Amino acid sequence: MRQLSIYAARSSSAFATAARRLAPGALANAASQSSGSLLATTGVVSAPTISSGYATAKAVYATGASRCYSTERPPATDAEVEKHEFKAETKKLLHIVAHSLYSQREVFVRELISNSSDALEKLRHLQATSQDVSSDALLEVSISVDEAAKTITFCDSGIGMTADELKDNLGTIARSGSKAYIEKMQDGAETKDMANTIVGQFGVGFYSAFMVGDKITVYTRSATPGSAGYCWESDGLGSYTLSKAEDVPVGTKIVINVKDDAKEFLEKGKLEEVIKKYSNFVGFPISVNGEKVNTVEALWTKDKNSITDEDHSNFYQFVSNAWDQPMYNLVYKADGPISIRSILYAPTRNPEAAGFERVKPGVSLYSRKVLIMPNAPGLLPEWLRFIQGVVDSEDLPLNLSRELLQNGPVIMRLKSIITSRIIKWLQEEANRDAKKYDEFYKTFGAFIKEGTCQDAVNQKDISKLLRFETSSKEAGQLISLDEYIERMPSEQEHIYYFCTPNRKVGSESPYYEPFKQHGAEVLFLHHSLDEFVMGRLFEFKGKRLVSVDSKEANSVLEKWNKAAQAESPEGAGGALTAEQANELTAWLLTNMGPSVKEVKVAERYMTYPAIVTDFESPSVRRMMRMMAGDNEMPMQLSPCNVEINPRDSVITGLYELKSKDEELARKIAQQLFDNALIAAGIMDDPRSMLKRLNEILAKAVN
């Protein structure tokens, strides 16, 4: 179909020339017959025959810069009309194209406009290269709707078609006139840019009109000087007719008689909606009933230095259907190994905030400014779905309907290039203005963390975009892993972090105490994904990521233990001796409960009576509850170890109490264990200990 309009484009120049020479009535005749140029670009076999003859113009539709025309034709004689039958296999293919190839009927608008654009582009090229063409008409696409007559008319002032081109391009399905035109022109250096603007390649788009129409009439005249006008007509069933037509201007007009079940396309608003969706960025004016529709420029084709902030704001709101302003923008172009023209935006507002559902990908895929796939899945990894914008590539391996991408290395390469460039872009923005990036990260950090977990190919680079609170800065201030490493003492081997519900809990935790005492910087992580992020990342620039409450942290604590304990204050009753400590740990093991597998004296600095070690992470437990389908149901606690502080007054007092009131001592021991579970974040329901706690309080006050 696109090729159709390209040939049609040749006739648009003649359209304007003829218009000046004709009387108003003749002008209408000429206009009506110029519509054939749209068809000419298709390069597809035409459909069944309907009566045709010499076109006699009756009226001209003209409003503003747009111009469409209608025609009435007297009955033609047999000598005037050529009737052509389709071959059996061609009829079958035509049926598939018209009824099965496209997933949505509205794409016929895209196909016909794309053909018109190609026709206009071809004519413009001929004019630019000083080739002899008989047309100086305004290059545009005009669409008119007549609800009473149930017709939609597409007009272009493009290159038009000759009789042979009509037979070749409309009489042979899947023969692309545009593709042949491109191949013919590719050898000339000055024509390569023009060739890259041609959309049609398959020669089937024109016949998408049969999805909504039961008869199609095409009027066309080639821009080649001396060319005659022609009328092509078919009902898409088995044949088509071809006849000469008088007073047809250069270009193409396609008149679609709309089926009863497609009447929604007779609404002006519906057509405008489809045009804005698929063809808004076509490089020529498009009007519906005289009103221009495509008012937004294809910014990604412009030089980035010529795009203003207002341009970016308006374009972002158009492509994203959002009301906020873009926080960042990127205009990215590349010619190798794949041709890419793109414009991308990072929003200010998180579309998934406040519990909103997972959003669709925000980047749409275009080819030569024609929409191929809105919100294109697979163009970017899932974690970048918040990015908005457009990616345009002429190298896309499209399928026949131009609706779906064909799987292959080109698509994978395109995805890789765009993803890498976005990561680099965000890093550049972070380096340019760290404070602004911190605000961006607070809004979209969850997406970055998701990418760190899921995108193994780019994980190393994505991890540079991560930001965390740290014990060395005030609450709310963020640093990168690179900044952490820059401040590390030379003897420090690991990056320390702590996953807690909030900063206050983390800073008061017994697991953070020895690191604070030693002066080691610890990253405070509060997001539900953080523990998975650190687990998947494992290391950064050769430095292990170690949680302060993990088994791996014990070896570090052993190095600090002796000096730290020597400086720590003694408990109120003095420290237990080694013999007393061994006696108490043995007693605690039998009285703390079945979830304790070992009790020992802590070899770390601590001011708490007891802590648990070697336990399941809180995040893993939450995930297991979710998988079990019941977030409220407490899970069985896996056995863990308990470490006691022999200098703490509660521990020394418990040693004395177990000989005097073993029942109360047992309750206190069990309460110590529950307290330790709470500090570790692995007690599912603290209400379970309230009865025991009240009994202990009652005993204490009495």
Side-chain angles (χ1 to χ4, degrees):
M1 162 66 207
R2 292 174 181 151
Q3 303 153 344
L4 175 61
S5 55
I6 297 177
Y7 288 104
R10 294 182 187 149
S11 49
S12 28
S13 308
F15 182 15
T17 304
R20 286 191 293 271
R21 291 200 294 258
L22 295 173
L27 174 59
N29 284 337
S32 73
Q33 295 170 3
S34 74
S35 67
S37 66
L38 262 173
L39 268 175
T41 52
T42 308
V44 184
V45 181
S46 346
T49 306
I50 304 187
S51 67
S52 98
Y54 291 108
T56 303
K58 183 175 182 181
V60 173
Y61 170 80
T63 305
S66 302
R67 175 170 50 189
C68 271
Y69 38 83
S70 61
T71 63
E72 288 183 1
R73 292 175 286 106
T77 65
D78 292 341
E80 295 171 337
V81 180
E82 298 178 14
K83 184 174 181 179
H84 300 270
E85 295 288 338
F86 293 126
K87 296 179 181 179
E89 62 273 17
T90 303
K91 293 179 183 179
K92 181 180 293 186
L93 183 55
L94 175 58
H95 181 83
I96 292 173
V97 170
H99 299 91
S100 305
L101 182 60
Y102 298 94
S103 60
Q104 298 185 28
R105 295 200 296 182
E106 65 183 18
V107 299
F108 85 94
V109 178
R110 177 194 70 184
E111 296 299 298
L112 297 186
I113 290 177
S114 297
N115 287 351
S116 292
S117 174
D118 288 352
L120 294 166
E121 190 62 49
K122 290 178 181 180
L123 181 62
R124 181 163 62 182
H125 169 70
L126 293 178
Q127 293 171 335
T129 54
S130 301
Q131 299 189 39
D132 189 13
V133 291
S134 57
S135 178
D136 56 2
L138 178 67
L139 302 182
E140 62 178 350
V141 180
S142 300
I143 304 171
S144 65
V145 180
D146 188 334
E147 291 189 51
K150 297 200 302 184
T151 61
I152 306 174
T153 302
F154 289 75
C155 305
D156 73 63
S157 52
I159 199 170
M161 287 178 286
T162 64
D164 288 340
E165 289 169 341
L166 274 171
K167 294 176 183 178
D168 288 341
N169 297 324
L170 302 190
T172 307
I173 293 181
R175 182 189 184 277
S176 170
S178 289
K179 187 173 183 180
Y181 191 86
I182 292 172
E183 292 171 350
K184 180 180 178 181
M185 304 298 287
Q186 284 288 7
D187 292 338
E190 76 282 0
T191 65
K192 288 184 178 179
D193 290 338
M194 185 284 301
N196 290 337
T197 64
I198 300 298
V199 179
Q201 295 185 38
F202 302 114
V204 297
F206 164 71
Y207 285 94
S208 64
F210 281 109
M211 291 190 294
V212 298
D214 52 23
K215 183 179 75 171
I216 297 176
T217 305
V218 179
Y219 301 93
T220 186
R221 185 161 73 89
S222 171
T224 303
S227 297
Y230 291 92
C231 174
W232 181 99
E233 196 168 64
S234 177
D235 60 7
L237 297 178
S239 63
Y240 67 91
T241 60
L242 179 63
S243 62
K244 282 190 175 183
E246 296 176 352
D247 301 327
V248 176
V250 170
T252 298
K253 182 179 80 169
I254 300 175
V255 182
I256 303 172
N257 286 72
V258 178
K259 299 175 182 178
D260 289 337
D261 65 353
K263 288 182 179 179
E264 70 269 23
F265 296 106
L266 292 172
E267 299 175 9
K268 177 173 176 286
K270 175 64 174 179
L271 280 179
E272 290 176 340
E273 176 187 336
V274 176
I275 291 169
K276 288 179 179 179
K277 178 179 179 180
Y278 292 102
S279 306
N280 191 79
F281 303 113
V282 168
F284 299 95
I286 303 172
S287 62
V288 177
N289 287 1
E291 296 182 10
K292 187 176 180 181
V293 178
N294 56 334
T295 57
V296 180
E297 285 188 274
L299 287 192
W300 65 89
T301 64
K302 299 179 65 176
D303 180 83
K304 65 179 181 180
N305 296 322
S306 68
I307 305 175
T308 66
D309 290 341
E310 184 179 1
D311 291 335
H312 278 301
S313 177
N314 292 336
F315 189 83
Y316 162 75
Q317 292 179 351
F318 177 82
V319 298
S320 65
N321 291 317
W323 51 265
D324 61 327
Q325 299 296 316
M327 183 172 289
Y328 299 129
N329 63 75
L330 171 67
V331 179
Y332 173 61
K333 299 180 181 181
D335 293 315
I338 300 174
S339 173
I340 300 172
R341 301 290 182 270
S342 64
I343 186 166
L344 303 169
Y345 296 97
T348 302
R349 183 177 58 89
N350 180 356
E352 295 182 6
F356 291 123
E357 64 181 6
R358 190 180 186 91
V359 298
K360 296 179 180 178
V363 178
S364 294
L365 189 60
Y366 285 71
S367 181
R368 297 180 175 94
K369 298 189 287 188
V370 174
L371 179 65
I372 300 301
M373 189 177 297
N375 308 109
L379 178 59
L380 293 176
E382 269 289 300
W383 68 274
L384 284 174
R385 61 189 177 278
F386 69 94
I387 296 293
Q388 302 288 328
V390 166
V391 172
D392 191 319
S393 177
E394 63 194 43
D395 296 327
L396 296 178
L398 305 177
N399 70 355
L400 195 60
S401 67
R402 285 196 290 264
E403 292 180 295
L404 300 171
L405 299 176
Q406 295 174 352
N407 293 327
V410 174
I411 297 302
M412 298 303 296
R413 183 59 175 157
L414 179 63
K415 178 178 180 179
S416 175
I417 293 172
I418 297 296
T419 301
S420 297
R421 187 61 186 92
I422 290 175
I423 295 171
K424 181 181 178 182
W425 162 42
L426 295 177
Q427 186 62 59
E428 291 169 349
E429 296 292 354
N431 295 338
R432 184 179 297 112
D433 188 338
K435 187 176 180 180
K436 183 178 180 180
Y437 180 80
D438 287 350
E439 292 303 313
F440 163 82
Y441 187 82
K442 289 176 182 178
T443 304
F444 295 100
F447 295 91
I448 308 298
K449 294 171 183 178
E450 182 181 332
T452 305
C453 293
Q454 295 181 351
D455 193 344
V457 174
N458 297 293
Q459 185 187 73
K460 181 178 178 181
D461 293 324
I462 299 172
S463 63
K464 298 176 183 177
L465 301 174
L466 293 169
R467 295 294 185 271
F468 304 102
E469 283 195 32
T470 174
S471 59
S472 66
K473 288 183 175 290
E474 297 295 325
Q477 296 184 8
L478 306 178
I479 68 167
S480 66
L481 293 175
D482 277 316
E483 291 177 86
Y484 184 101
I485 290 178
E486 288 173 2
R487 295 203 295 264
M488 282 175 56
S490 57
E491 68 275 8
Q492 184 173 329
E493 299 178 356
H494 309 306
I495 297 173
Y496 303 119
Y497 70 90
F498 192 19
C499 294
T500 62
N502 54 63
R503 187 184 180 101
K504 186 176 186 298
V505 171
S507 60
E508 296 177 355
S509 169
Y511 301 100
Y512 170 62
E513 274 189 323
F515 291 86
K516 179 181 179 180
Q517 178 73 12
H518 189 74
E521 183 175 10
V522 176
L523 300 175
F524 287 128
L525 283 56
H526 311 313
H527 195 275
S528 57
L529 286 176
D530 285 335
E531 189 163 359
F532 296 102
V533 170
M534 293 307 196
R536 292 298 296 270
L537 192 57
F538 189 70
E539 67 174 20
F540 181 81
K541 293 188 174 181
K543 303 292 185 179
R544 280 283 310 278
L545 298 168
V546 174
S547 175
V548 299
D549 60 355
S550 68
K551 190 174 182 180
E552 289 80 0
N554 290 337
S555 60
V556 177
L557 297 178
E558 288 175 1
K559 297 179 182 179
W560 304 343
N561 182 54
K562 290 182 180 180
Q565 284 191 352
E567 298 174 4
S568 65
E570 294 291 331
L576 296 177
T577 65
E579 182 179 353
Q580 291 172 329
N582 290 335
E583 181 184 344
L584 180 61
T585 55
W587 182 85
L588 288 172
L589 181 61
T590 60
N591 287 276
M592 274 189 162
S595 296
V596 179
K597 63 180 180 180
E598 182 181 3
V599 181
K600 62 182 180 179
V601 174
E603 295 181 357
R604 67 172 74 201
Y605 170 79
M606 58 187 291
T607 59
Y608 280 67
I611 62 171
V612 292
T613 60
D614 299 334
F615 54 86
E616 291 177 331
S617 79
S619 296
V620 171
R621 288 182 61 81
R622 285 194 297 271
M623 182 65 69
M624 291 175 66
R625 285 201 305 272
M626 290 175 60
M627 294 175 64
D630 189 350
N631 291 336
E632 301 299 326
M633 183 69 179
M635 290 185 59
Q636 183 176 356
L637 183 68
S638 298
C640 53
N641 297 335
V642 175
E643 295 186 9
I644 62 171
N645 178 5
R647 294 173 176 79
D648 187 86
S649 58
V650 174
I651 295 299
T652 56
L654 182 61
Y655 175 77
E656 300 293 337
L657 183 63
K658 69 180 179 62
S659 302
K660 301 175 181 178
D661 189 342
E662 187 171 16
E663 181 182 356
L664 177 60
R666 184 180 299 107
K667 291 179 179 179
I668 292 176
Q670 293 170 352
Q671 187 62 47
L672 282 176
F673 181 59
D674 282 351
N675 291 351
L677 294 180
I678 293 174
I682 57 175
M683 173 163 274
D684 295 331
D685 189 356
R687 291 173 296 184
S688 61
M689 68 181 186
L690 289 179
K691 183 175 183 296
R692 182 201 318 121
L693 183 58
N694 287 331
E695 291 173 352
I696 295 173
L697 292 174
K699 191 77 172 179
V701 297
N702 293 325

